Amino acid sequence: MPLDRLTPVLQQAVEDLEAQGRRKGHEPVVTEVVPAQGERGPRYRLLGHGEKLFIRMNSNSYLGLAQHPALKKAEEEAIERFGVGPGAVRFISGTYEPHVELEGRLARFHAREAAMIFSSAYATILSVVVPLVTPETVLISDELNHNCIINAIRLARPREKYVYKHLNLADLEAALHQAAAMGARRALVITDGIFSMRGSHAPLSEIALLVRKYDHHFPENALLVVDDSHGVGAFGATGRGTEEYTQAQADILVGTLGKAFGVNGGYVVGPSALIAYFRETSPMYIYSNPITPGEAAAAGAALELLESPEGQTRLAHLRAMTRRFREGVLQLGYESFPGDHPVVPLVLRDGERTGQLVRFLREEGILATAIVYPVVPKGEESIRFQVSAEHTQADIDQVLRVLERFKALG
């Protein structure tokens, strides 16, 4: 048997994760989405739980668009015209009209010259960072950046990399100073727009000023690269993300279609020359299928909806429900990180206690996810609650009552 000696090693690794409280465990299987009714928002049925209904507080679907009729109609019409899949990578068999239309809409939405879509935001950041790194490039990254950025840096093999303390501008400037002193030709400062485990945002205006301050030291520029996958669609006055919230603009902006927009895929926007370069050099664009034409059409419909009065109403409701939940959590005596984003962590700083609360919530019909090491540093164990525009005031209050009961149990 080819795996006879490897299998016990792998089994032991999983058992070790279980013993350390780090195993993610079995994924719940959604069997039905029950539409909103009366004062309550949508509910979800799970495999193995019969007719029990759950409130979902662990979804990135911040605008609650996955079930929106306009998105479903757009996808269905595109499927009728183009079929269910692209069939191959774009440079081999061509692209589809919905892909091109979506890229144009994304560029306009972000006030950029051009845009380019990928199969996911993870694939996007890998395919943006790696082609931009030469043996004379320095990478500078926030210590709490997402795993996709960490792995992109590993794959890129820069001349040097610096990891600055989370949101510490003095530490960032020290890294830029060192990079300039070593004579590197190019520097990339990379940060998340929204740090998804905390719901906090990067101070992009201050970071951009530092990058501009040191730009003249690098013959091929210092660039600010921002992954705003959790920000776009859910943050800022009109949903344009952390850039809008901080009144700043990145040199290269990465976003996703799979969170607030409710569909699937990732994208990058920037100058047309940069996008043309990525089309020739980005590995996960050249060698991997794009999202389907139906998904592209649905994403285009999501962008159109966000820019409509209905979209702005959804954003306003999302902000109101986020404030209600965050204030309620704090009033109950729980700890959370400050912020205005719909990610609201309930910080327990204890893995066992975190697991107890997650189980208690599920028994009460609430889906929430424990976030433990190594996803977050030890001592920051938490439950990441994610508010959505599909939540009603009654939903938020129901979750807060359950949290109050758990608190009373000691």
Side-chain angles (χ1 to χ4, degrees):
M1 178 179 172
L3 298 180
D4 59 340
R5 294 183 298 280
L6 177 59
T7 296
V9 176
L10 302 181
Q11 289 175 334
Q12 185 61 53
V14 172
E15 290 171 8
D16 290 344
L17 291 172
E18 180 79 42
Q20 296 163 14
R22 294 169 51 196
R23 185 178 181 183
K24 295 173 182 63
H26 298 292
E27 300 167 359
V29 177
V30 177
T31 60
E32 184 182 2
V33 180
V34 181
Q37 184 176 3
E39 294 185 348
R40 70 159 178 79
R43 295 293 188 268
Y44 297 80
R45 288 198 173 100
L46 302 182
L47 186 67
H49 290 269
E51 296 299 302
K52 186 171 184 176
L53 298 177
F54 291 87
I55 301 173
R56 188 169 63 165
M57 294 288 293
N58 58 354
S59 169
N60 297 324
S61 184
Y62 299 116
L63 291 176
L65 295 180
Q67 295 290 327
H68 197 283
L71 274 67
K72 291 196 284 188
K73 180 183 178 183
E75 182 158 2
E76 288 166 0
E77 290 178 351
I79 287 172
E80 285 299 316
R81 290 180 63 198
F82 303 110
V84 297
V89 300
R90 291 169 70 173
F91 90 94
I92 288 179
S93 64
T95 192
Y96 286 84
E97 187 176 46
H99 294 136
V100 177
E101 291 177 349
L102 174 60
E103 288 172 336
R105 184 179 286 276
L106 285 166
R108 292 190 297 274
F109 180 77
H110 289 291
R112 299 306 209 281
E113 290 181 352
M116 178 177 172
I117 56 176
F118 291 82
S119 58
S120 70
Y122 204 115
T124 307
I125 201 71
L126 291 175
S127 287
V128 163
V129 173
V130 173
L132 282 177
V133 172
T134 69
E136 293 302 318
T137 299
V138 171
L139 291 175
I140 305 172
S141 175
D142 188 289
E143 67 176 336
L144 292 189
N145 276 341
H146 189 270
N147 177 269
C148 65
I149 296 175
I150 295 169
N151 279 333
I153 291 172
R154 288 171 176 163
L155 289 171
R157 299 181 181 179
R159 174 174 175 177
E160 188 60 80
K161 64 179 179 181
Y162 298 97
V163 178
Y164 62 94
K165 296 174 184 176
H166 181 51
L167 303 184
N168 189 315
L169 296 177
D171 206 28
L172 168 58
E173 182 164 17
L176 280 163
H177 182 79
Q178 291 180 57
M182 73 168 53
R185 294 190 60 79
R186 187 183 305 177
L188 303 182
V189 175
I190 309 175
T191 181
D192 281 330
I194 298 294
F195 294 89
S196 60
M197 295 300 112
R198 292 183 169 217
S200 56
H201 69 275
L204 294 187
S205 56
E206 291 92 336
I207 294 174
L209 284 173
L210 279 177
V211 174
R212 295 288 77 80
K213 177 180 176 180
Y214 283 86
D215 176 65
H216 71 280
H217 290 285
F218 300 94
E220 296 174 357
N221 293 115
L223 303 177
L224 174 57
V225 182
V226 176
D227 182 345
D228 204 26
S229 292
H230 283 269
V232 174
F235 205 51
T238 65
R240 284 169 170 78
T242 309
E243 286 189 328
E244 182 175 43
Y245 189 87
T246 60
Q247 295 296 292
Q249 190 173 80
D251 296 301
I252 303 171
L253 179 69
V254 170
T256 187
L257 306 168
K259 291 182 172 57
F261 294 132
V263 191
N264 188 38
Y267 64 90
V268 59
V269 296
S272 56
L274 183 80
I275 299 303
Y277 174 76
F278 286 149
R279 291 192 194 277
E280 301 298 326
T281 60
S282 295
M284 294 187 185
Y285 176 84
I286 297 171
Y287 300 106
S288 182
N289 281 9
I291 60 175
T292 69
E295 289 172 324
L303 276 164
E304 183 177 354
L305 188 146
L306 177 59
E307 295 186 282
S308 73
E310 179 189 345
Q312 295 307 298
T313 298
R314 280 180 177 256
L315 263 177
H317 177 70
L318 174 61
R319 285 192 287 267
M321 294 303 97
T322 298
R323 285 194 300 271
R324 189 177 189 88
F325 185 67
R326 184 180 295 277
E327 290 170 2
V329 164
L330 296 176
Q331 287 170 5
L332 290 173
Y334 288 102
E335 180 186 357
S336 184
F337 295 116
D340 296 322
H341 189 270
V343 165
V344 183
L346 193 155
V347 186
L348 295 167
R349 303 191 185 278
D350 180 278
E352 183 177 351
R353 183 75 168 164
T354 300
Q356 289 173 353
L357 179 49
V358 166
R359 291 188 292 272
F360 185 82
L361 289 164
R362 179 162 295 200
E363 290 170 2
E364 297 292 329
I366 299 164
L367 300 176
T369 303
I371 307 296
V372 298
Y373 178 83
V375 179
V376 294
K378 291 180 179 178
E380 290 190 10
E381 293 84 358
S382 60
I383 296 173
R384 184 176 68 170
F385 287 95
Q386 291 166 280
V387 181
S388 169
E390 72 179 16
H391 293 138
T392 66
Q393 181 175 310
D395 294 337
I396 296 299
D397 291 347
Q398 181 178 336
V399 177
L400 290 172
R401 285 194 297 271
V402 172
L403 289 173
E404 185 176 21
R405 289 203 298 273
F406 182 79
K407 189 86 170 180
L409 294 174

